[in-house]
Amino acid sequence: MTVAEMGEFGLIERVTGRLAPGPTCLLGPGDDAAVVTTSDNRVVVSTDVLVDGRHFRRDWSSATDVGHRAAGANLADIAAMGATPTALVVGLSAPPELPVEWAEQLADGLAAEAALVGASVVGGDTVASPTLTISVTALGDLRGVSPVTRSGAQPGDQVALAGRLGWAAAGFTVLSRGFRSPRALVDAHRRPLVPYQCGPVAARQGATAMIDVSDGLLADLGHIADASGVAIDVRRELFELPEQMVDAARALGVDPYEWVLTGGEDHALVATFPAGSVLTADWRVIGSVDKGSGLTVDGEPFTGRGGWDHFR
C-alpha cells in the first residue's frame, strides 16, 4: 500500500502508533503540539534536513537505517552543546507512491535511535512532495550546565575526539565503487555510532568549545578556529587507523587519512579542553590550540578540501 492509498491521516495514525513516548514526553502525537518536560529553564534546539539521493540512497540503506541516520544527525548536535537530548519532531515530505511500509520502518529507526538517549519522537507533519525529504528537529536539556559553544577555545587548549572518524566516509566510498564489503564500513555509513553521553560529560569536565563532526573533522574544527579566533593544529600520529580501514583504502587506492580528516557523518564529537585536563577514556587528544588563526595538519597548511559543503 502506498501513502496516497493510505491517506495523510491514516499514514499519521500508522506511524505514530509505532512511537512510544519517552520519559520526558508529557503529551505526544495527536494534539496541536507536544509537551516535553525539562529540568532546566533553557531548551536546546537543532534542525537537519535529509534529502533522498543527496543524503541517503534507498538502494543503499533501508528505511530503518535512514531513520537512525536522521535521528543521529540531530541528536549529535544536541550532545555537542553539552546537553541531553529529550525529544524529536519529524517532518516527512513523501512522494504519493512511497510504500507505507517504508514510512513505518523509518519511524522504527527514528524511535530506536532516540531511545538510545532516553528521547522519543513527540510529533511532526507530513506532506506530499516529488522528492522524499526528512526534516528532524531535536530538543535538549542542559540540566544546569552552560552550553558548550564553538567560540570558547583558548590558546594552550588541547583538542580531543570522542567517537570514530572516517568509517562512514570509507563506507560511502565502498558503496560508490559498487561493493558491499567490508561490512563494518558499509554499516557505518548506514548507521552512525554516536558518542552521545560524551557531550554532557565534556561540558562537566570543562570543555571550552565543542562541535559535532558531521561535515568532516577539518571543516568542523575550522568552525571552532574561526569562532574562537585561534589556530588549531591536528597531528596525524595521534590517530589510530583500524586495520580494515587501512586494507580497504589500499584496495581502493585512497589515502585513509582523507577519510579520517575530511569525511563526515560519523558524528563524532571534537572538543577543546584546558591544558592539563584529565579526560575520560572516551576522549583521545588529537591536536592543540595556539594563537593565530586557521587550521594546520602536522604544522602545515592543509591544501585539500576540508569536508562536505552542500552547495559546492
Side-chain angles (χ1 to χ4, degrees):
M1 181 177 291
T2 67
V3 295
E5 293 169 330
M6 173 66 65
E8 178 183 3
F9 298 106
L11 175 64
I12 292 172
E13 184 176 351
R14 287 282 287 271
V15 168
T16 57
R18 309 172 81 89
L19 304 174
T24 62
C25 179
L26 299 181
L27 180 64
D31 219 303
D32 291 314
V35 180
V36 180
T37 185
T38 174
S39 63
D40 198 292
N41 291 325
R42 301 159 297 172
V43 176
V44 181
V45 183
S46 181
T47 297
D48 274 304
V49 177
L50 283 77
V51 179
D52 188 12
R54 186 164 184 84
H55 299 95
F56 64 90
R57 285 178 45 170
R58 281 183 276 170
D59 57 333
W60 287 0
S61 301
S62 70
T64 306
D65 291 332
V66 176
H68 278 274
R69 288 188 64 195
N74 286 270
L75 298 170
D77 284 336
I78 300 300
M81 299 300 293
T84 298
T86 56
L88 297 176
V89 178
V90 182
L92 175 64
S93 303
E97 66 274 12
L98 183 76
V100 170
E101 182 183 15
W102 199 95
E104 291 177 327
Q105 292 175 357
L106 172 70
D108 291 342
L110 289 162
E113 191 70 23
L116 295 176
V117 292
S120 58
V121 180
V122 300
D125 190 23
T126 60
V127 66
S129 168
T131 303
L132 177 60
T133 304
I134 304 156
S135 175
V136 182
T137 297
L139 308 177
D141 184 352
L142 285 163
R143 296 186 176 177
V145 303
S146 298
V148 184
T149 68
R150 303 176 181 182
S151 60
Q154 299 292 323
D157 283 356
Q158 52 190 337
V159 181
L161 172 77
R164 58 189 194 179
L165 287 178
W167 289 70
F172 177 83
T173 302
V174 169
L175 289 165
S176 297
R177 301 286 182 90
F179 302 108
R180 293 294 185 270
S181 62
R183 183 64 180 271
L185 300 180
V186 171
D187 286 348
H189 167 75
R190 290 171 173 156
R191 298 187 190 185
L193 293 178
V194 186
Y196 298 116
Q197 74 285 353
C198 293
V201 169
R204 288 171 171 78
Q205 287 184 319
T208 54
M210 185 158 49
I211 194 170
D212 156 40
V213 183
S214 56
D215 295 325
L217 176 66
L218 298 185
D220 290 321
L221 273 178
H223 296 319
I224 289 181
D226 291 343
S228 299
V230 296
I232 294 179
D233 183 54
V234 174
R235 312 295 296 189
R236 285 186 177 90
E237 65 192 29
L238 298 178
F239 292 92
E240 287 187 0
L241 299 183
E243 183 177 352
Q244 57 210 122
M245 185 184 296
V246 173
D247 291 343
R250 184 181 300 113
L252 297 170
V254 176
D255 179 355
Y257 283 105
E258 179 180 338
W259 289 333
V260 171
L261 296 176
T262 69
E265 297 188 326
D266 283 301
H267 297 292
L269 300 179
V270 63
T272 57
F273 296 87
S277 296
V278 178
L279 306 180
T280 62
D282 292 323
W283 290 92
R284 170 187 294 275
V285 175
I286 59 169
S288 58
V289 181
D290 300 298
K291 293 180 180 179
S293 61
L295 196 71
T296 55
V297 177
D298 298 330
E300 299 293 333
F302 186 78
T303 57
R305 187 176 177 182
W308 177 257
D309 186 322
H310 291 282
F311 297 100
R312 293 181 180 177

